[in-house]
């Protein structure tokens, strides 16, 4: 009986020992699995993106108190936000409301714009936030793309998709994604799974099909790099300059166009103030920097200013994209297309009966010499009469008389016309685009 008691005690002790040792690995395994699950938690989880909510805002634009548009924007500096430039058209002021509060803050003005890529960098008053981290390069095709909208009932909506490609769309390089952007989410930052922003999302109809697009973060970074120290008034972005700005422009002595072939100095005519003011505003925005001289015609001249040429590849069709607006014709009879004149191209009369000019493109006349018989034929065809002085100049100096009376002239070359003469000799393709890329490096104002 005593031996039986010892046997039972020994069996109980063994059972307890096995039970304890067997439960310990199970506990370690559970802890290990939990750790692995935590480590493997995807970077694009709702919790991961919560950190960005304070840096996202609703932006509203106004014209003297009248509401214009509302979209999304986001901080890319402590007090700088980026948004679509198009939403500020005709705006005199704007304000933002961060996603994490109800208070609105005023926009003091713009620090830089990129009209070709439809971007504006704005300065905010009274609030500072952490900037959204920008992806430094180009993401590969099939990368996951995510954007967020304002939290609803403590839930952060994540809108997931995929990068379809990185290609030229409407004359500029953009991402195409399969995320669906709605009008109020235009301007939203679009992320990849490493929690970096690949650009600014929006939607647009391209070739009769709705496309969901992302303006790359590299363009936003370039905008930050060229920002001015002092904010400019939003109303300075309007196509029509204020009276004070127009008067200041009338005192500008000239402008220097720096090209790969040399410099061309020009002056703008005060007799065509809307064209002068528009050209000067685009120069201040650095719009012309790095654009191609995309059209070269012997016996006529050279042409530049097309928005679709900055990133154009060798086989891209260029010369059709402007800044998003046109200008009313302003034809002054005393101005004629002698050598060195600067004019504004336009679409043909069919579909453009008012002969409105392109908003940014310009041509410089190198021209050729004409005979009396050629001038007679042009007069008859165009129902336009040349003065005796104009005839003399066309026969001795040359120009492009076939454009007189139908195209707006707004300036002239004062130095460096020989540069245009050299460029006009270049070999071109069938669309008159030079085989060799010739760019405008920059245009500067001469005070």
């Amino acid at each position: 009986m005593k031996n039986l008691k010892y046997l039972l005690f020994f069996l109980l002790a063994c059972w307890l020992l096995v039970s304890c040792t067997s439960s310990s690995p199970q506990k370690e395994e559970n802890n290990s699995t939990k750790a692995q699950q935590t480590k493997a938690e995807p970077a694009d989880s709702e919790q991961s993106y919560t950190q960005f909510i304070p840096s996202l805002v609703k932006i509203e634009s106004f014209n003297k108190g009248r509401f214009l548009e509302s979209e999304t924007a986001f901080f890319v500096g402590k007090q700088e936000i980026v948004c679509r430039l198009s939403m500020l058209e005709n705006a005199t002021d704007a304000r933002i409301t961060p996603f994490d509060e109800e208070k609105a803050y005023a926009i003091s003005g713009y620090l830089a714009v990129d009209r070709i890529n439809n971007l504006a960098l704005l300065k905010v008053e009274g609030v500072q936030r952490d900037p959204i981290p920008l992806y430094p390069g180009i993401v590969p095709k099939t990368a996951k793309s995510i954007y967020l909208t304002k939290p609803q009932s403590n839930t952060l909506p994540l809108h997931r998709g995929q990068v379809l490609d990185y290609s030229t769309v409407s004359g500029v390089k953009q991402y195409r994604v399969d995320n669906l952007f709605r009008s109020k989410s235009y301007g939203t930052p679009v992320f990849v799974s490493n929690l970096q922003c690949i650009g600014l999302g929006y939607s647009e109809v391209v070739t009769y099909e709705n496309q969901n697009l992302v303006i790359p973060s590299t363009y936003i970074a370039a905008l930050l790099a060229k920002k001015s120290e002092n904010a400019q008034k939003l109303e300075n972005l309007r196509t029509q300059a204020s009276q004070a700005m127009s008067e200041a422009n009338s005192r500008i002595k000239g402008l220097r166009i720096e090209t790969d072939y040399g410099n061309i100095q020009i002056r703008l005519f005060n007799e065509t103030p809307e064209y002068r003011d528009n050209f000067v505003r685009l120069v201040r925005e650095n719009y012309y920097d790095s654009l191609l001289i995309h059209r070269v015609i012997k016996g006529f001249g050279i042409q530049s200013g097309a928005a679709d040429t900055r990133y154009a590849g060798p086989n891209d069709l260029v010369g059709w994209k402007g800044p998003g607006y046109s200008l009313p014709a302003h034809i002054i009879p005393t101005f004629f297309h002698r050598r060195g004149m600067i004019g504004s191209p336009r679409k043909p009369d069919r579909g453009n009966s008012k002969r409105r000019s392109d908003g940014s493109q310009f041509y410089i006349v190198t021209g050729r010499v004409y005979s009396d018989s050629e001038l007679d034929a042009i007069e008859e065809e165009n129902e336009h009469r040349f003065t005796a002085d104009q005839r003399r100049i066309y026969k001795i100096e040359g120009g492009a008389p076939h454009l007189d009376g139908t195209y707006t002239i707004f300036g002239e070359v004062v130095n460096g016309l020989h540069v245009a003469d050299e460029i006009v000799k270049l070999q071109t393709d069938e669309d008159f685009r030079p085989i060799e890329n010739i760019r405008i490096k920059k245009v500067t104002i001469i005070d």
Side-chain angles (χ1 to χ4, degrees):
M1 191 68 178
K2 188 175 181 181
N3 291 337
L4 181 60
K5 185 186 291 185
Y6 282 122
L7 178 63
L8 289 174
F9 179 78
F10 175 76
L11 291 174
L12 179 62
C14 290
W15 179 82
L16 288 173
L17 180 62
V18 171
S19 176
C20 290
T21 54
S22 64
S23 66
S24 182
Q26 181 67 39
K27 197 180 264 187
E28 288 179 9
E29 183 179 346
N30 289 341
N31 289 338
S32 176
T33 302
K34 281 185 179 180
Q36 289 177 3
Q37 287 176 346
T38 302
K39 188 175 181 180
E41 184 181 354
D44 60 353
S45 68
E46 179 181 322
Q47 185 177 4
S48 302
Y49 284 95
T50 304
Q51 61 181 305
F52 298 130
I53 292 301
S55 301
L56 272 64
V57 304
K58 177 178 74 172
I59 180 169
E60 298 172 297
S61 60
F62 302 86
N63 184 312
K64 297 178 180 178
R66 181 173 62 88
F67 173 77
L68 296 176
E69 291 189 55
S70 174
E71 291 185 359
T72 301
F74 56 98
F75 279 83
V76 289
K78 285 292 185 180
Q79 285 189 283
E80 296 91 21
I81 66 164
V82 67
C83 70
R84 296 201 311 153
L85 175 61
S86 55
M87 77 150 303
L88 300 171
E89 185 178 358
N90 298 318
T92 57
D93 55 283
R95 68 188 183 198
I96 64 161
T97 305
F99 276 17
D100 64 340
E101 59 177 299
E102 299 299 322
K103 184 179 178 179
Y105 299 91
I107 297 293
S108 58
Y110 70 92
L111 298 169
V113 298
D114 181 349
R115 197 170 292 275
I116 290 177
N117 290 299
N118 195 20
L119 293 172
L121 184 68
L122 308 180
K123 180 71 176 293
V124 185
E125 291 294 337
V127 62
Q128 292 188 6
R129 295 295 166 89
D130 290 333
I132 296 288
L134 299 176
Y135 192 89
I138 304 302
V139 297
K141 183 179 177 180
T142 72
K144 291 180 180 180
S145 51
I146 305 106
Y147 78 93
L148 24 152
T149 47
K150 192 172 183 179
Q152 304 291 331
S153 303
N154 297 323
T155 300
L156 178 61
L158 294 182
H159 305 267
R160 305 173 189 273
Q162 180 177 302
V163 175
L164 302 177
D165 60 36
Y166 174 74
S167 58
T168 301
V169 181
S170 298
V172 294
K173 292 289 187 182
Q174 301 188 63
Y175 295 110
R176 286 193 315 115
V177 297
D178 61 7
N179 303 80
L180 297 178
F181 299 115
R182 305 301 181 190
S183 58
K184 287 188 177 181
S185 64
Y186 290 176
T188 184
V190 179
F191 299 88
V192 284
S193 55
N194 65 355
L195 302 180
Q196 288 184 312
C197 169
I198 65 169
L200 179 151
Y202 72 104
S203 181
E204 186 177 88
V205 175
V206 181
T207 59
Y208 308 105
E209 182 182 357
N210 192 65
Q211 303 274 350
N212 294 286
L213 306 167
V214 179
I215 303 171
S217 54
T218 51
Y219 299 151
I220 300 173
L223 202 63
L224 280 164
K226 71 174 186 179
K227 70 178 180 180
S228 61
E229 292 184 5
N230 301 315
Q232 303 293 314
K233 294 180 180 179
L234 292 182
E235 60 189 42
N236 290 345
L237 294 172
R238 302 170 68 182
T239 55
Q240 185 175 358
S242 65
Q243 183 176 349
M245 183 63 72
S246 187
E247 289 176 357
N249 291 340
S250 69
R251 296 189 291 271
I252 291 175
K253 294 180 180 179
L255 300 100
R256 183 183 301 107
I257 302 173
E258 299 179 31
T259 78
D260 291 330
Y261 268 53
N263 299 341
I264 302 173
Q265 186 175 329
I266 67 173
R267 78 178 184 96
L268 305 178
F269 296 144
N270 288 332
E271 292 85 346
T272 50
E274 64 272 58
Y275 282 76
R276 176 201 64 208
D277 294 343
N278 177 69
F279 194 90
V280 170
R281 179 173 55 80
L282 293 177
V283 167
R284 289 190 173 117
E285 293 177 4
N286 303 111
Y287 179 92
Y288 291 108
D289 296 2
S290 197
L291 296 188
L292 290 176
I293 295 175
H294 67 276
R295 197 162 184 249
V296 168
I297 302 176
K298 292 178 176 65
F300 165 62
I302 65 175
Q303 185 170 320
S304 185
D308 52 12
T309 64
R310 182 177 289 169
Y311 312 102
N315 300 317
D316 289 343
L317 180 64
V318 297
W320 57 269
K321 183 178 175 62
Y325 59 85
S326 60
L327 298 174
H330 192 162
I331 299 169
I332 297 177
T334 54
F335 292 162
F336 61 104
H337 285 82
R338 65 190 299 173
R339 264 178 57 81
M341 283 297 192
I342 300 171
S344 185
R346 61 176 176 81
K347 293 180 179 178
D349 289 353
R350 186 176 64 180
N352 185 24
S353 59
K354 294 185 178 181
R355 295 173 172 170
R356 292 183 67 89
S357 301
D358 186 275
S360 61
Q361 292 193 51
F362 65 95
Y363 55 81
I364 296 175
V365 177
T366 55
R368 67 173 177 85
V369 172
Y370 284 76
S371 66
D372 274 319
S373 60
E374 288 177 311
L375 294 172
D376 290 341
I378 292 172
E379 282 186 334
E380 184 176 351
E381 182 177 350
N382 293 349
E383 298 181 351
H384 177 83
R385 294 292 176 261
F386 303 115
T387 67
D389 190 51
Q390 290 170 353
R391 274 182 171 269
R392 179 184 62 80
I393 291 173
Y394 281 138
K395 290 190 294 182
I396 298 173
E397 298 179 13
H402 59 288
L403 300 181
D404 286 351
T406 57
Y407 285 77
T408 298
I409 296 171
F410 66 93
E412 66 178 347
V413 175
V414 296
N415 192 14
L417 187 56
H418 66 280
V419 174
D421 288 333
E422 289 301 311
I423 295 173
V424 87
K425 296 175 185 176
L426 296 175
Q427 182 183 358
T428 67
D429 62 17
E430 59 184 9
D431 294 317
F432 303 104
R433 176 179 171 180
I435 302 299
E436 172 192 358
N437 277 347
I438 307 298
R439 294 190 184 275
I440 291 178
K441 294 180 180 179
K442 65 178 179 178
V443 183
T444 54
I445 296 172
I446 302 172
D447 294 325

